[in-house]
Amino acid sequence: MKTTRVFPPTRIVALATIGVVVLGLAYFRFAPGESPVSVPAGAKAGDLTMQACTFQTESGPMPADCGTLVVPENRADPGSRLIALPVTRIQARSDQPAEPVFYLEGGPGITNVKFKEASRFAGDRDVVMVGYRGVDGSVRLDCPEVTSALKHSADVLSEESFRAYGDGLRACADRLTDEGVDLAGYGLAQRVDDLEAARTALGYDRIDLLSQSAGTRTAMIYAWRYPERIHRSVMIGVNPPGHFLWDSQTIDEQIGRYAALCAKDATCSERTDDLAASVSRTAADMPERWFFLPIKQGHVRVASFYGLMESAWTGSQPSGPMTLDAWLAAEEGDASGLWVQSLLVDVVVPDAFVWGEYVSAAMLDAQAARDYFSSGAQDRDSIGYAGSAFSWGGGRMADAWP
């Protein structure tokens, strides 16, 4: 039986500050951008129109070119309609620039037209961002059906939530198709061809790719399709084929490494003899409330999964150490950190992604997902399994999208 620990005002202030900062920064990261681009009258596939603009970076505004790239919605269909994508080029400050950097954000399901670190590279090379189809372009694959299902979920890892998630995806796909969207045109292979169309239109011979997380999959496919056009490719947090899923054992090993560090740290080792065991005990007997405020256990596991992806504060989510601190505090009787995690999933996650594009990109791993969820090899109590189960709706996503 857990008791509610009375904790100092400083922790309350810290929790409130973290919540406000994370929610605010998540909003700015995921909030819709400016009005979407549109296909100019008389345009044809491959057309790129640009005009002078400024782009906001961490070093302030920088001179850039902003424009619209026109591409087929489905290159496999000769009669496909055209769609438009935004393109931004930050101009190199050098008179003799090196190969340009094309940036590829992760996700999937998030924008590729925000890159505040671009100023770090623009001293001697152009920096180019091509908006992702289905997110940034004239067609956006929003799924309010999925957003609604998540907002009404009492536990995002429950069977009821998984069913609602899958039903929401099917309803969204049906509605988009009825509206004339060719869903077969939205995936990573088509995105790669968008990058190549932009490279050609901008007149570059070879380019550098800078990608992170799910964006590395796009970089891999580009390298397979257009190897002669790559000068260098830098991938951060690589996501190889079959890995829009997470192995529970790998996440447990990650927590084990934190536990080893904790054992060597005087402050941490005073709180627990075994960090991994403390996490396991808390997971097995997670508090249902912090005072009168409900804690949704599935929400906590999902938030912790994303928190463990970061070893340091990134501004968009808590770090691994902060996440584990919340679990230790809960074992000590202070469930405030777990409540904050639960709340963040409720408030941030339903609107965090453009779900139709999220699914379209992930469908490359649909068979891997079917194998993953049917094998029974994963520890369903693991935080690693929570990430995969949430992302795929317990496996239902694999068969809920065309």
Side-chain angles (χ1 to χ4, degrees), residues 17-216:
T17 302
I18 290 169
V20 170
V21 170
V22 171
L23 291 174
L25 290 173
Y27 170 80
F28 284 112
R29 179 175 182 183
F30 298 121
E34 299 177 356
S35 299
V37 294
S38 59
V39 178
K44 62 182 184 300
D47 284 355
L48 175 64
T49 57
M50 303 286 278
Q51 60 185 11
C53 66
T54 57
F55 186 85
Q56 190 64 41
T57 73
E58 62 185 7
S59 300
M62 299 190 68
D65 300 311
C66 298
T68 300
L69 175 68
V70 178
V71 294
E73 183 175 42
N74 184 351
R75 290 180 173 88
D77 179 5
S80 173
R81 67 173 176 174
L82 300 176
I83 60 174
L85 303 173
V87 176
T88 301
R89 173 175 59 187
I90 301 171
Q91 303 162 1
R93 295 189 290 271
S94 171
D95 293 332
Q96 294 182 321
E99 285 80 4
V101 171
F102 276 56
Y103 178 64
L104 298 169
E105 179 58 271
I110 62 177
T111 182
N112 194 48
V113 298
K114 296 180 181 180
F115 183 34
K116 60 184 177 61
E117 297 87 359
S119 54
R120 304 181 189 183
F121 305 94
D124 61 352
R125 62 195 67 228
D126 293 347
V127 179
V128 178
M129 287 150 285
V130 180
Y132 287 159
R133 59 172 55 217
V135 176
D136 300 311
S138 56
V139 176
R140 184 177 164 96
L141 304 184
D142 283 313
C143 287
E145 300 88 347
V146 175
T147 300
S148 177
L150 293 174
K151 286 183 175 179
H152 290 88
S153 174
D155 185 328
V156 292
L157 296 182
S158 67
E159 286 299 319
E160 181 181 0
S161 183
F162 291 158
R163 285 193 296 272
Y165 183 74
D167 291 344
L169 287 171
R170 291 186 186 89
C172 180
D174 290 344
R175 176 181 51 78
L176 290 171
T177 300
D178 290 343
E179 292 173 358
V181 177
D182 186 350
L183 294 176
Y186 295 86
L188 298 189
Q190 298 273 7
R191 178 191 294 178
V192 162
D193 289 341
D194 296 338
L195 295 179
E196 178 62 8
R199 181 204 64 79
T200 300
L202 290 168
Y204 297 126
D205 181 27
R206 294 198 299 168
I207 62 176
D208 292 341
L209 298 179
L210 174 60
S211 57
Q212 65 169 324
S213 188
T216 64

Side-chain angles (χ1 to χ4, degrees), residues 319-344:
S319 68
M322 289 173 63
T323 297
L324 293 171
D325 175 74
W327 286 77
L328 278 180
E331 186 180 45
E332 296 163 346
D334 172 7
S336 57
L338 299 188
W339 172 76
V340 169
Q341 292 188 35
S342 176
L343 176 66
L344 289 177

Side-chain angles (χ1 to χ4, degrees), residues 277-294:
S278 291
V279 171
S280 295
R281 286 193 294 269
T282 302
D285 188 22
M286 190 179 297
E288 297 180 355
R289 295 183 180 278
W290 174 51
F291 292 108
F292 62 89
L293 300 170

